[in-house]
Amino acid sequence: MKSVFSYLKNLFTSPTVLETKKALVGVSKADAFLEAMIADKKVPGMAVTVLREGKVVLQKGYGYANINKKLSVDPEQTIFRIASVSKPLAATALAHMVADKSMDLDASLYSYVPYFPKKKYDFTIRQLASHTAGFRGYKGKEYALNKPYSIKEGIKVFQEDALLFQPGTDYLYNSFDWSLLSLAMQEAVQTPIEEYIAEKVLEPLDMNDTFPEISGEIGSNYATFYSKNRLGFREAVPVNNFYKLAGGGYLSTAADVARLGQAYLDKKISTAEVLTSFLTSEKLNEVPTYYGLGWQVSVDKKGRPYYGHVGNGVGGYANFYVYPKEQMVFSILINCTNPLVQSDLDDIIDLMIESKDVNQEILGH
């Protein structure tokens, strides 16, 4: 991590910090690395919440929610675009529907959305949720589409395109799967999907700062959304993500996202039988895709199992991981389109998992 050593040197020479000059370890070292990412201008702002056994061990804002105004990031209040971390939210709602038999994972999409244009092959709710239905990803400017589409209107972006492969024979990650799936969900319960998710997921988990982004609405706690180029950070182009709400259209805070992960560790979500199907990697020809139903399900470089999601959208980048064996939750939100810092974040997460100073807490803005 570039400049982290100079950052540590400054810490060691400070008469008020670590006067014993002992090497930083665990949470303190992770905190130093995160501060160095800001010093190196790798990201404009970042909010981090890390839980271990339900307790906060690191909750802090780094850098700026708005660079020009020098507004600091608050991990409990600053609102970020969470991009594809929206998928676990929607998947949690889908788990409720499966549990109460409002939806059948192995039913055809056409059971719920009969008006969707017919394709060469039929495909199921499960295949949409696991990205094995054959739909394409973004083309051209679709990634940054700025059209005021409803969820139902938004399917016209891709509805006339042929499937890329026979459903169930291959895997292709994309957000259109969840756009279409969310339409099926709201047709199944005859309720707007954003209202259903609020009632079944957000309100019970006290995720009071998580909501759909409405184009043109900018609250006082919103981070400014940036993109990065060789000259630095600039404000991201305007987008309207509502039509792909379930796949990448939610706003949230680091603290709220962590609440979702902790609810899974505390087994507050649906039934064990239903969750097993969501949090187990699908397999194609006995080879895992490392994706369940709305959740990435994999192992890290040390072989530790986790589930969660990475999110990358215009003006937002997010890491959300749940480590069941270690009983840890990681929520890291950044107000910038992919800043190319995933390897740094992986190292910091690894450091936090292996830290021995489990009783130490770092809280702050």
Side-chain angles (χ1 to χ4, degrees):
M1 297 178 182
K2 183 180 176 183
S3 296
V4 73
F5 295 110
S6 61
Y7 177 82
L8 295 179
K9 181 179 179 181
N10 290 336
L11 274 178
F12 291 146
T13 56
S14 170
T16 60
V17 180
L18 299 177
E19 293 181 348
T20 60
K21 297 186 179 181
K22 292 180 180 179
L24 291 173
V25 295
V27 179
S28 295
K29 194 171 184 179
D31 179 52
F33 284 152
L34 290 162
E35 291 283 7
M37 290 176 65
I38 299 298
D40 291 340
K41 294 183 169 51
K42 291 188 174 184
V43 299
M46 178 167 46
V48 179
T49 297
V50 180
L51 309 178
R52 189 196 301 266
E53 296 180 349
K55 297 180 180 179
V56 174
V57 293
L58 174 61
Q59 183 156 273
K60 186 174 177 180
Y62 300 85
Y64 294 113
N66 183 290
I67 297 171
N68 292 336
K69 296 180 180 180
K70 304 297 183 186
L71 296 178
S72 298
V73 171
D74 184 321
E76 295 184 275
Q77 296 187 23
T78 303
I79 304 296
F80 291 79
R81 284 178 177 153
I82 63 172
S84 288
V85 171
S86 302
K87 291 182 177 73
L89 275 177
T92 304
L94 179 58
H96 281 287
M97 291 186 182
V98 172
D100 68 17
K101 302 190 185 307
S102 297
M103 289 197 85
D104 179 351
L105 288 173
D106 296 310
S108 166
L109 168 85
Y110 296 100
S111 299
Y112 306 100
V113 191
Y115 50 84
F116 188 73
K118 295 293 183 180
K119 303 302 175 186
K120 182 177 180 180
Y121 304 103
D122 195 9
F123 51 93
T124 67
I125 297 301
R126 183 188 301 275
Q127 287 166 338
L128 284 171
S130 61
H131 303 295
T132 60
F135 282 90
R136 66 170 177 85
Y138 296 121
K139 293 193 302 187
K141 297 180 179 180
E142 290 173 349
Y143 179 70
L145 196 64
N146 190 23
K147 301 289 186 180
Y149 293 148
S150 67
I151 291 170
K152 188 173 183 178
E153 292 169 338
I155 64 172
K156 67 183 178 183
V157 175
F158 59 92
Q159 68 179 7
E160 300 302 332
D161 295 309
L163 300 180
L164 298 181
F165 52 81
Q166 183 176 347
T169 65
D170 205 349
Y171 167 88
L172 180 64
Y173 177 82
N174 68 90
S175 284
F176 292 147
D177 280 340
W178 276 86
S179 296
L180 185 52
L181 178 51
S182 66
L183 178 58
M185 291 167 68
Q186 67 180 22
E187 293 284 17
V189 294
Q190 290 295 292
T191 302
I193 190 62
E194 68 274 20
E195 293 181 14
Y196 187 88
I197 290 175
E199 177 187 350
K200 296 295 186 178
V201 183
L202 304 180
E203 293 168 8
L205 300 183
D206 294 325
M207 297 177 66
N208 301 316
D209 294 308
T210 303
F211 44 85
E213 180 175 3
I214 306 301
S215 182
E217 291 187 7
I218 301 177
S220 59
N221 290 332
Y222 282 37
T224 299
F225 308 124
Y226 295 98
S227 293
K228 184 179 180 181
N229 58 27
R230 59 185 180 84
L231 299 178
F233 302 109
R234 59 179 176 80
E235 290 195 28
V237 298
V239 294
N240 190 322
N241 291 322
F242 187 81
Y243 82 97
K244 56 180 180 181
L245 180 63
Y250 271 92
L251 301 174
S252 191
T253 63
D256 256 18
V257 171
R259 288 186 182 95
L260 178 64
Q262 190 60 47
Y264 273 78
L265 290 179
D266 292 342
K267 304 186 186 308
K268 292 181 177 179
I269 307 295
S270 193
T271 66
E273 181 181 4
V274 169
L275 290 185
T276 296
S277 63
F278 278 72
L279 300 178
T280 300
S281 172
E282 294 289 297
K283 290 184 178 181
L284 299 174
N285 296 320
E286 299 305 314
V287 178
T289 63
Y290 300 105
Y291 202 94
L293 305 181
W295 293 86
Q296 294 171 345
V297 182
S298 190
V299 296
D300 65 14
K301 61 184 178 181
K302 299 288 182 65
R304 294 174 293 227
Y306 71 87
Y307 53 88
H309 224 288
V310 172
N312 178 41
V314 175
Y317 192 77
N319 275 197
F320 171 44
Y321 298 126
V322 180
Y323 279 78
K325 182 177 179 182
E326 291 76 13
Q327 289 289 292
M328 295 190 73
V329 178
F330 294 87
S331 172
I332 304 173
L333 306 182
I334 297 171
N335 57 334
C336 183
T337 310
N338 190 2
L340 302 178
V341 294
Q342 190 58 54
S343 62
D344 292 342
L345 299 180
D346 289 343
D347 288 343
I348 290 165
I349 289 169
D350 178 61
L351 180 63
M352 290 286 293
I353 291 174
E354 296 190 345
S355 68
K356 304 302 180 183
D357 54 339
V358 296
N359 295 320
Q360 181 177 358
E361 295 180 4
I362 294 181
L363 308 175
H365 302 164

